[in-house]
Amino acid sequence: MSSYPNLTDGTEYITIEELNRQQVLIRLPFTILIALAMTTAFVGNILTIYVYGFRLKLSPTYFFVVMLACVDLIICTCVTPARIVQNIYPLMTTWDILCKFHMSLTVFTGLCNYGFLLAIATERYRKVCQPLKTQINMRAAKVITACIFIFCATQGIMTLLYFGSVTKPTNYPGIYSYSCSAKNYKPNYYQLGFFAFYSLLAMVTFVILFILYIIILRHMNGWEKTKCVEQQQNSNSITNNLCPDNIQEKWLNVPESIDSNRLPSNLSTEEVELSNTKMSSKVSSDEISKVYTKSIAPLRAKLREANNERRATEQPDRIKRTTITMMMITVTFIVTYLPTFGTMILDAVLKSLNTMSTPSSFFYWFARHCFYISSCTNPIVYSCRNQNFMDEIKKIFRLKQK
């Protein structure tokens, strides 16, 4: 029998366990969804950290990608399991430490995503729009990462003051639920200030990201206008000046064989062959040196120049592809995070969860779980957009098969 108060309507007993079971059924599809996302995110983010951090050439962008993967790994190993426990005991979560731990890490990882996505957008902006100015190097990337972690950890610790296991009345008199939420039904000024700052920071970050990527897209569209001209110039750079005409003519005039029927009567075939051998020796020692000096060396210089031009032509394509990939990561995060962010603010301010109807609760919990899905989307985007990433993954599994 339950230790919680019961209410009888004359025919049956209503207990907190029964109310909890009803909430479990509402959240069951999303519990299964985030459990699958947790498994996918665990494997995908470990592979991302290994490939981008140890297999590919580490650049500032890739360093930020590794940090994003570390944050997503924290989500799928710590935050998501705590959310699953709360979904199993939605109205009976009496563990105050679990609630504080879950909400603190939720705020920490959310703000870390803000910071690293903003750092990536800034690095992409300088790479695309200001290529001649000083770029973000690895040392600067590490300093930026340290600042992001310190700031986000500070904000996460502050949530320990406002969140925990909160007792709430239900629709049934005498029955109370215990759930993870912001404390105090009438939020104090400190709590309101925290949520106001959190909301303002999110909106400012999203606006800056939107503006930066709009500018980046405009610059990359300008690259397309000059791409055709550059390709035409590169195609003509290798076809010229293979060998000078006078050297080609000299080599063409050297006979390959001697017809013995046309020899003078006083010359034997052996003498002509000896003379031909001496001539070939002279050509190979003197003329070949001149040909190499006048033809082969300039040709190598031309080929080297053409190779540099080809790399310069392909570099904008690489930069564009990487930038588009980072843009997709940003859009995916915003789309999956905004619903969760909105419901968290709504729950803390309105305190109306217990009065929701079943359809409203279904959509509410769908929005609340979107944040956990985002932790597994990044490796999927990398696998679709980065061929080098996929090649390294294939090498890993081939080694395991052997």
Side-chain angles (χ1 to χ4, degrees), residues 47 49-58 388 392-393 395-396 399:
L47 290 175
I49 294 172
Y50 175 70
V51 173
Y52 278 96
F54 300 97
R55 301 295 297 178
L56 301 180
K57 183 180 179 180
L58 194 61
N388 293 331
E392 293 297 332
I393 297 297
K395 292 179 182 179
I396 293 173
L399 290 176

Side-chain angles (χ1 to χ4, degrees), residues 108-293:
F108 170 75
T109 53
L111 291 178
C112 281
N113 277 282
Y114 290 0
F116 289 123
L117 291 176
L118 192 58
I120 290 173
T122 303
E123 197 274 339
R124 292 288 93 193
Y125 170 79
R126 298 189 68 85
K127 183 75 70 174
V128 174
C129 304
Q130 299 177 342
L132 300 181
K133 293 187 177 180
T134 303
Q135 301 296 311
I136 298 176
N137 54 24
M138 287 301 301
R139 182 178 180 181
K142 292 177 181 179
V143 172
I144 292 172
T145 299
C147 294
I148 291 174
F149 276 132
I150 293 173
F151 173 78
C152 297
T154 303
Q155 298 301 314
I157 292 173
M158 290 180 61
T159 60
L160 300 177
L161 304 174
Y162 310 124
F163 290 93
S165 179
V166 179
T167 303
K168 299 180 181 180
T170 63
N171 295 332
Y172 300 91
I175 299 181
Y176 295 88
S177 65
Y178 297 83
S179 59
C180 292
S181 180
K183 294 184 176 181
N184 300 326
Y185 290 102
K186 294 180 180 180
N188 54 38
Y189 291 108
Y190 294 103
Q191 189 179 26
L192 288 175
F194 171 77
F195 280 112
F197 171 75
Y198 197 45
S199 302
L200 180 63
L201 185 62
M203 293 300 104
V204 170
T205 301
F206 294 156
V207 170
I208 293 175
L209 289 172
F210 177 78
I211 293 175
L212 285 177
Y213 279 116
I214 287 295
I215 298 174
I216 290 172
L217 284 175
R218 292 183 61 184
H219 276 75
M220 290 193 302
N221 289 334
W223 290 351
E224 296 295 332
K225 298 179 180 179
T226 58
K227 186 175 181 180
C228 295
V229 177
E230 293 177 354
Q231 288 180 345
Q232 183 64 30
Q233 292 176 351
N234 291 334
S235 63
N236 296 330
S237 62
I238 306 177
T239 58
N240 299 324
N241 298 324
L242 292 178
C243 281
D245 295 337
N246 58 342
I247 297 177
Q248 294 181 13
E249 182 178 359
K250 181 181 293 186
W251 278 93
L252 290 174
N253 291 331
V254 176
E256 296 182 0
S257 62
I258 302 297
D259 188 357
S260 60
N261 296 324
R262 297 184 179 181
L263 292 175
S265 58
N266 59 345
L267 289 179
S268 64
T269 304
E270 290 78 6
E271 291 176 339
V272 172
E273 289 179 354
L274 180 61
S275 177
N276 190 24
T277 303
K278 293 180 179 180
M279 182 180 66
S280 299
S281 176
K282 184 178 180 180
V283 169
S284 61
S285 61
D286 297 335
E287 297 296 335
I288 289 179
S289 177
K290 295 180 181 179
V291 169
Y292 180 83
T293 304

Side-chain angles (χ1 to χ4, degrees), residues 74-138:
I74 294 174
I75 293 175
C76 68
T77 56
C78 300
V79 182
T80 305
R83 177 78 264 171
I84 292 175
V85 172
Q86 294 179 39
N87 285 353
I88 298 174
Y89 300 98
L91 302 183
M92 302 169 61
T93 308
T94 58
W95 308 289
D96 191 69
I97 294 178
L98 175 66
C99 297
K100 291 179 180 292
F101 172 78
H102 172 254
M103 295 307 299
S104 177
L105 282 182
T106 300
V107 173
F108 170 75
T109 53
L111 291 178
C112 281
N113 277 282
Y114 290 0
F116 289 123
L117 291 176
L118 192 58
I120 290 173
T122 303
E123 197 274 339
R124 292 288 93 193
Y125 170 79
R126 298 189 68 85
K127 183 75 70 174
V128 174
C129 304
Q130 299 177 342
L132 300 181
K133 293 187 177 180
T134 303
Q135 301 296 311
I136 298 176
N137 54 24
M138 287 301 301

Side-chain angles (χ1 to χ4, degrees), residues 266-402:
N266 59 345
L267 289 179
S268 64
T269 304
E270 290 78 6
E271 291 176 339
V272 172
E273 289 179 354
L274 180 61
S275 177
N276 190 24
T277 303
K278 293 180 179 180
M279 182 180 66
S280 299
S281 176
K282 184 178 180 180
V283 169
S284 61
S285 61
D286 297 335
E287 297 296 335
I288 289 179
S289 177
K290 295 180 181 179
V291 169
Y292 180 83
T293 304
K294 296 181 180 180
S295 177
I296 304 301
L299 178 58
R300 286 188 174 181
K302 287 286 184 179
L303 292 174
R304 191 180 301 110
E305 181 181 354
N307 188 42
N308 293 335
E309 291 178 356
R310 179 183 58 81
R311 290 185 177 181
T313 304
E314 292 177 353
Q315 184 178 6
D317 293 334
R318 292 193 297 269
I319 293 175
K320 182 178 179 180
R321 188 171 184 82
T322 302
T323 303
I324 295 296
T325 302
M326 297 301 106
M327 193 181 307
M328 292 173 62
I329 295 297
T330 302
V331 172
T332 302
F333 172 77
I334 293 176
V335 170
T336 56
Y337 185 75
L338 278 180
T340 301
F341 175 75
T343 54
M344 186 175 64
I345 301 297
L346 184 68
D347 180 53
V349 177
L350 299 182
K351 303 291 181 181
S352 59
L353 181 60
N354 290 333
T355 61
M356 288 184 182
S357 62
T358 300
S360 299
S361 298
F362 185 85
F363 287 107
Y364 171 86
W365 288 111
F366 172 76
R368 191 68 180 265
H369 288 80
C370 287
F371 171 71
Y372 305 96
I373 301 173
S374 65
S375 62
C376 70
T377 56
N378 290 358
I380 298 175
V381 174
Y382 301 144
S383 62
C384 296
R385 296 284 304 173
N386 193 334
Q387 186 60 42
N388 293 331
F389 179 80
M390 281 304 300
D391 292 341
E392 293 297 332
I393 297 297
K394 292 177 182 178
K395 292 179 182 179
I396 293 173
F397 285 102
R398 286 174 185 171
L399 290 176
K400 289 184 177 180
Q401 290 176 357
K402 293 179 180 180

